[in-house]
Amino acid sequence: MLIKGKIKADKKTKELIQRLKPYDIAVIKHQDLDEVAALSLIKIKPKLIINCEQSISGKYPNLGPLHLVKANIPLLEISEQNFFDSVQDGDQILVKNNLVFFKGKVFEGCLLNEELITSKIKSAEQN
């Protein structure tokens, strides 16, 4: 995966959706990304979603991440707090596989796929 583009970021997904345009890269902080938020993001069709929280924490099974991946919208999790705090709307980034190149720094993430998401959902169901 190689994606280059402009960031739109917000801690509140519902507020980000108001500014997000097709082909932007969405940067969110949304633990347990819910189905409603995912479906709203799918309607806009961003190039990529970077979540700076766990999309599925294991507290409960949530289907938001699965909807995104099935809609062919890549979902990358980055746990490093410095990343979210350093981005602003309009910043350009380059994402290659699990690595995000931004302002001379490299941030490592985890690209979620259907198999990993399904496994996390099953673990959450046991909780």
Side-chain angles (χ1 to χ4, degrees):
M1 172 181 79
L2 180 64
I3 297 175
K4 192 176 189 179
K6 196 179 349 175
I7 289 175
K8 293 276 177 68
D10 206 303
K11 288 182 180 178
K12 297 189 181 211
T13 305
K14 64 183 173 184
E15 291 180 15
L16 175 65
I17 289 167
Q18 304 303 317
R19 301 188 324 273
L20 194 64
K21 303 280 188 244
Y23 308 110
D24 284 340
I25 295 173
V27 179
I28 61 175
K29 283 189 74 154
H30 195 144
Q31 185 170 349
D32 294 316
L33 184 61
D34 60 275
E35 195 169 4
V36 172
L39 294 174
S40 296
L41 288 163
I42 289 168
K43 285 181 186 176
I44 298 169
K45 298 180 183 159
K47 280 186 191 180
L48 167 71
I49 298 169
I50 298 174
N51 193 354
C52 297
E53 294 284 349
Q54 290 182 316
S55 299
I56 302 174
S57 70
K59 291 179 185 174
Y60 60 90
N62 54 306
L63 299 177
L66 190 58
H67 286 298
L68 290 169
V69 171
K70 286 189 173 193
N72 294 316
I73 298 174
L75 177 59
L76 181 72
E77 291 182 344
I78 294 180
S79 59
E80 191 169 327
Q81 180 65 36
N82 292 340
F83 178 75
F84 187 86
D85 292 339
S86 64
V87 300
Q88 295 180 355
D89 283 6
D91 286 342
Q92 295 282 331
I93 63 168
L94 172 69
V95 179
K96 185 174 182 182
N97 300 322
N98 289 335
L99 301 176
V100 176
F101 299 87
F102 176 68
K103 292 187 177 178
K105 295 181 181 175
V106 180
F107 298 89
E108 188 170 357
C110 176
L111 185 64
L112 301 183
N113 59 33
E114 192 170 339
E115 182 180 331
L116 180 58
I117 292 168
T118 302
S119 172
K120 288 184 173 205
I121 289 171
K122 286 180 183 176
S123 293
E125 286 172 347
Q126 293 174 358
N127 288 339

